[in-house]
Coordinates of all heavy atoms in Angstrom, one line a residue:
P1156 N -9.6 34.8 81.7 CA -11.0 35.1 81.3 C -11.1 35.8 80.0 O -10.2 36.6 79.7 CB -11.5 36.0 82.5 CG -10.6 35.6 83.6 CD -9.3 35.2 83.1
F1157 N -12.1 35.5 79.2 CA -12.3 36.2 77.9 C -12.9 37.5 78.1 O -13.9 37.7 78.8 CB -13.1 35.3 77.0 CG -13.3 35.8 75.7 CD1 -12.3 35.8 74.7 CD2 -14.6 36.3 75.3 CE1 -12.5 36.3 73.5 CE2 -14.8 36.8 74.0 CZ -13.7 36.8 73.1
E1158 N -12.4 38.5 77.4 CA -12.9 39.9 77.5 C -13.5 40.3 76.2 O -12.9 40.1 75.1 CB -11.8 40.8 77.9 CG -12.2 42.3 78.1 CD -11.1 43.1 78.7 OE1 -10.8 42.9 79.9 OE2 -10.6 44.0 77.9
F1159 N -14.7 40.9 76.2 CA -15.3 41.4 75.0 C -16.3 42.5 75.4 O -16.7 42.7 76.5 CB -16.0 40.3 74.2 CG -17.2 39.7 74.8 CD1 -18.5 40.2 74.4 CD2 -17.2 38.8 75.9 CE1 -19.7 39.6 75.0 CE2 -18.4 38.3 76.4 CZ -19.6 38.7 76.0
V1160 N -16.8 43.2 74.3 CA -17.8 44.3 74.5 C -19.2 43.7 74.1 O -19.4 43.2 73.0 CB -17.4 45.5 73.6 CG1 -18.5 46.6 73.9 CG2 -16.0 46.0 74.0
I1161 N -20.1 43.8 75.1 CA -21.5 43.3 74.9 C -22.1 44.0 73.7 O -22.0 45.3 73.5 CB -22.3 43.6 76.1 CG1 -21.8 42.7 77.3 CG2 -23.8 43.3 75.8 CD1 -22.4 41.3 77.3
G1162 N -22.8 43.2 72.8 CA -23.6 43.8 71.8 C -22.9 44.3 70.6 O -23.5 45.1 69.8
T1163 N -21.7 44.0 70.4 CA -20.9 44.5 69.2 C -20.6 43.4 68.2 O -19.8 43.7 67.2 CB -19.6 45.2 69.7 OG1 -18.8 44.3 70.4 CG2 -19.9 46.4 70.5
G1164 N -21.1 42.2 68.4 CA -20.9 41.1 67.4 C -19.5 40.5 67.5 O -19.1 39.8 66.6
Q1165 N -18.8 40.7 68.6 CA -17.5 40.0 68.8 C -17.6 38.6 69.2 O -16.7 37.8 69.1 CB -16.7 40.8 69.9 CG -16.4 42.2 69.6 CD -15.6 42.9 70.7 OE1 -15.4 42.3 71.8 NE2 -15.3 44.2 70.5
V1166 N -18.8 38.2 69.6 CA -19.1 36.8 70.0 C -20.4 36.3 69.4 O -21.0 37.0 68.7 CB -19.2 36.7 71.6 CG1 -17.8 37.0 72.2 CG2 -20.3 37.7 72.1
I1167 N -20.7 35.0 69.6 CA -21.9 34.5 69.1 C -23.1 35.2 69.7 O -23.0 35.8 70.8 CB -22.0 33.0 69.3 CG1 -22.0 32.6 70.8 CG2 -21.0 32.2 68.5 CD1 -22.2 31.2 71.1
R1168 N -24.2 35.2 69.1 CA -25.4 36.0 69.5 C -25.9 35.6 70.9 O -26.3 36.4 71.7 CB -26.6 35.8 68.5 CG -26.3 36.5 67.2 CD -27.4 36.1 66.2 NE -28.7 36.3 66.6 CZ -29.8 35.7 66.1 NH1 -29.7 34.9 65.1 NH2 -31.0 36.0 66.6
A1169 N -25.8 34.3 71.2 CA -26.2 33.8 72.5 C -25.4 34.4 73.7 O -26.0 34.7 74.7 CB -26.1 32.3 72.6
W1170 N -24.1 34.7 73.4 CA -23.3 35.4 74.5 C -23.7 36.8 74.6 O -23.9 37.3 75.8 CB -21.9 35.3 74.1 CG -21.2 34.0 74.6 CD1 -21.7 32.8 74.6 CD2 -19.9 34.0 75.3 NE1 -20.8 31.9 75.2 CE2 -19.7 32.6 75.6 CE3 -18.9 34.9 75.5 CZ2 -18.5 32.2 76.2 CZ3 -17.8 34.4 76.1 CH2 -17.6 33.1 76.5
D1171 N -23.9 37.5 73.5 CA -24.3 38.9 73.6 C -25.6 39.1 74.4 O -25.8 40.0 75.2 CB -24.5 39.5 72.2 CG -23.3 40.2 71.6 OD1 -22.4 40.6 72.4 OD2 -23.1 40.2 70.4
E1172 N -26.5 38.1 74.2 CA -27.8 38.2 74.9 C -27.7 37.6 76.4 O -28.1 38.2 77.3 CB -28.9 37.4 74.2 CG -30.2 37.4 74.9 CD -31.2 36.5 74.3 OE1 -31.0 35.9 73.2 OE2 -32.3 36.3 74.8
G1173 N -27.1 36.4 76.4 CA -27.1 35.6 77.7 C -26.4 36.2 78.8 O -26.8 36.1 80.0
L1174 N -25.3 36.9 78.6 CA -24.5 37.5 79.7 C -25.2 38.6 80.4 O -24.9 39.0 81.5 CB -23.1 38.0 79.1 CG -22.0 37.0 79.2 CD1 -21.6 36.7 80.6 CD2 -22.2 35.7 78.4
T1175 N -26.2 39.2 79.7 CA -27.0 40.3 80.3 C -27.9 39.9 81.4 O -28.5 40.7 82.1 CB -27.8 41.1 79.3 OG1 -28.8 40.2 78.7 CG2 -26.9 41.6 78.1
Y1176 N -28.1 38.6 81.6 CA -28.9 38.0 82.7 C -28.1 37.8 84.0 O -28.7 37.4 85.0 CB -29.6 36.7 82.2 CG -30.6 36.9 81.1 CD1 -30.2 36.8 79.8 CD2 -31.9 37.3 81.4 CE1 -31.2 36.9 78.8 CE2 -32.9 37.4 80.4 CZ -32.5 37.3 79.1 OH -33.4 37.5 78.1
F1177 N -26.8 38.0 84.0 CA -26.0 37.8 85.1 C -25.4 39.1 85.7 O -25.3 40.1 85.0 CB -24.9 36.8 84.8 CG -25.3 35.4 84.4 CD1 -25.7 35.1 83.1 CD2 -25.4 34.4 85.3 CE1 -26.1 33.9 82.7 CE2 -25.9 33.1 85.0 CZ -26.2 32.9 83.7
K1178 N -25.0 39.0 86.9 CA -24.3 40.1 87.6 C -22.9 39.6 87.9 O -22.6 38.4 87.9 CB -25.0 40.5 88.9 CG -26.4 41.0 88.6 CD -27.2 41.3 90.0 CE -28.6 41.8 89.7 NZ -29.3 42.1 91.0
P1179 N -22.0 40.5 88.2 CA -20.6 40.1 88.5 C -20.6 39.1 89.6 O -21.2 39.2 90.6 CB -19.9 41.4 88.9 CG -20.6 42.5 88.1 CD -22.1 42.0 88.1
G1180 N -19.8 38.0 89.4 CA -19.7 36.9 90.3 C -20.8 35.8 90.0 O -20.8 34.7 90.6
G1181 N -21.7 36.1 89.1 CA -22.8 35.2 88.8 C -22.3 34.0 87.9 O -21.3 34.1 87.1
K1182 N -22.9 32.9 88.1 CA -22.5 31.7 87.4 C -23.8 31.0 86.9 O -24.9 31.1 87.4 CB -21.8 30.7 88.3 CG -20.4 31.2 88.8 CD -19.7 30.1 89.7 CE -18.4 30.6 90.2 NZ -17.7 29.5 90.9
G1183 N -23.6 30.2 85.8 CA -24.8 29.5 85.3 C -24.4 28.8 83.9 O -23.3 28.6 83.6
K1184 N -25.5 28.5 83.2 CA -25.3 27.9 81.9 C -26.1 28.6 80.8 O -27.3 29.1 81.1 CB -25.8 26.4 82.0 CG -25.1 25.5 82.9 CD -25.6 24.1 82.9 CE -25.0 23.2 83.9 NZ -23.6 23.0 83.7
L1185 N -25.6 28.7 79.6 CA -26.3 29.1 78.5 C -26.5 27.9 77.6 O -25.5 27.2 77.2 CB -25.6 30.2 77.7 CG -25.2 31.5 78.5 CD1 -24.5 32.4 77.6 CD2 -26.5 32.1 79.0
I1186 N -27.8 27.5 77.3 CA -28.1 26.3 76.5 C -28.6 26.8 75.2 O -29.7 27.4 75.2 CB -29.1 25.4 77.3 CG1 -28.4 25.0 78.6 CG2 -29.3 24.1 76.4 CD1 -29.4 24.2 79.5
I1187 N -27.9 26.6 74.1 CA -28.0 27.5 72.9 C -28.4 26.7 71.7 O -27.7 25.7 71.3 CB -26.6 28.1 72.7 CG1 -26.1 28.8 73.9 CG2 -26.7 29.1 71.5 CD1 -24.7 29.3 73.8
P1188 N -29.5 27.1 71.0 CA -29.8 26.6 69.7 C -28.8 27.0 68.7 O -28.1 28.1 68.8 CB -31.2 27.1 69.4 CG -31.3 28.4 70.2 CD -30.5 28.2 71.4

Side-chain angles (χ1 to χ4, degrees):
F1157 181 71
E1158 183 174 291
F1159 72 98
V1160 181
I1161 292 275
T1163 58
Q1165 296 178 357
V1166 292
I1167 59 175
R1168 289 169 56 196
W1170 271 42
D1171 269 334
E1172 177 187 356
L1174 268 296
T1175 64
Y1176 291 95
F1177 295 86
K1178 298 176 182 178
K1182 296 182 179 182
K1184 297 181 187 294
L1185 301 179
I1186 304 173
I1187 307 170

